[in-house]
Amino acid sequence: MTGGLKRLILVNSYLICLFLASFAQADNKTLLVVGDSLSAGYGIDIKQGWVHQLQLKLDREQLAYTVVNASVSGETTTGGKARLPKLLETHQPDIVLLELGANDGLRGQPIKIPHNNLANMITAMQNADAQVLLIGIQIPPNYGARYTEAFAGIFAHLAQTYDTALVPFLLEGVALNPQLMLKDGIHPTAEAQPILLDTVWPYLKPLL
């Protein structure tokens, strides 16, 4: 075999590998996470966060999804609603995990504000042909029983109204355990992140 022929075969093999890799990447579906500090990995290494661990789990399960984490610490539903059109246009997600509302509640916003903003966002996601997994959150009881109950009820009401999947409470099994929360009592530790992923996974898996 001549040197020129060998080089030609090597070049062709390289191009084929590039094509197959590009095809596999293009074939991946997109899973978009729109959240706040609970999904942005506040206070911990981002690679320890449950969203990054979700990508690793999808890879292990050989599920062809690319996770895009568009979560921003301190984000409210108003901010999320403003950012959403560009996110949907840019990423064209197949599935969206919507984890917002906690900062609205902690600021004592009237219930109708997070409710209406989340409803607007869910509608936009569904109009973009994305499946929606709404992730519920609860706020501390010191805001008063009436407000905390009404706030918690937002998520179940929206999930029923718009026929979306629902994680009832992201911090289930974590929020009341001081060893799994940072000193601020609001954000989960790195050790809590696998628990958060285990909480989300059963509700996400049917959508994959």
Side-chain angles (χ1 to χ4, degrees):
M1 185 180 293
T2 66
L5 182 57
K6 285 182 178 180
R7 285 193 297 272
L8 180 61
I9 292 173
L10 287 173
V11 169
N12 285 339
S13 297
Y14 176 69
L15 291 174
I16 289 170
C17 288
L18 281 179
F19 172 77
L20 291 175
S22 300
F23 180 80
Q25 186 173 16
D27 196 45
N28 273 18
K29 295 183 178 181
T30 300
L31 191 156
L32 176 67
V33 181
V34 182
D36 49 36
S37 55
L38 297 176
S39 298
Y42 176 89
I44 61 174
D45 188 315
I46 188 64
K47 291 184 178 180
Q48 297 175 310
W50 73 268
V51 176
H52 181 76
Q53 293 187 31
L54 171 60
Q55 180 69 78
L56 298 179
K57 185 174 181 66
L58 291 167
D59 293 343
R60 287 195 304 270
E61 305 249 346
Q62 297 184 334
L63 295 168
Y65 281 86
T66 298
V67 177
V68 176
N69 192 355
S71 302
V72 177
S73 292
E75 186 74 288
T76 62
T77 58
T78 299
K81 185 179 73 170
R83 290 195 301 125
L84 184 63
K86 184 63 174 178
L87 291 173
L88 293 176
E89 178 185 359
T90 300
H91 301 291
Q92 300 181 14
D94 299 276
I95 300 174
V96 183
L97 274 57
L98 179 55
E99 182 275 301
L100 284 175
N103 289 307
D104 296 70
L106 293 175
R107 296 178 186 185
Q109 293 273 18
I111 295 297
K112 68 179 181 179
I113 293 179
H115 179 280
N116 292 347
N117 285 339
L118 289 171
N120 182 284
M121 294 176 76
I122 292 170
T123 299
M125 293 167 185
Q126 292 178 335
N127 287 342
D129 294 325
Q131 296 186 86
V132 181
L133 175 57
L134 182 61
I135 299 179
I137 195 67
Q138 298 176 19
I139 57 174
N142 55 296
Y143 284 77
R146 183 177 178 182
Y147 185 81
T148 55
E149 289 175 8
F151 181 84
I154 291 173
F155 302 94
H157 179 262
L158 289 172
Q160 183 176 14
T161 301
Y162 294 95
D163 192 26
T164 72
L166 171 68
V167 178
F169 181 34
L170 178 61
L171 300 182
E172 185 68 42
V174 171
L176 299 181
N177 186 340
Q179 295 182 340
L180 295 176
M181 299 295 287
L182 297 177
K183 291 183 179 179
D184 61 12
I186 297 174
H187 297 97
T189 63
E191 291 75 19
Q193 301 301 311
I195 301 175
L196 270 59
L197 177 55
D198 287 344
T199 297
V200 172
W201 183 253
Y203 302 95
L204 172 60
K205 189 175 182 179
L207 304 182
L208 298 172

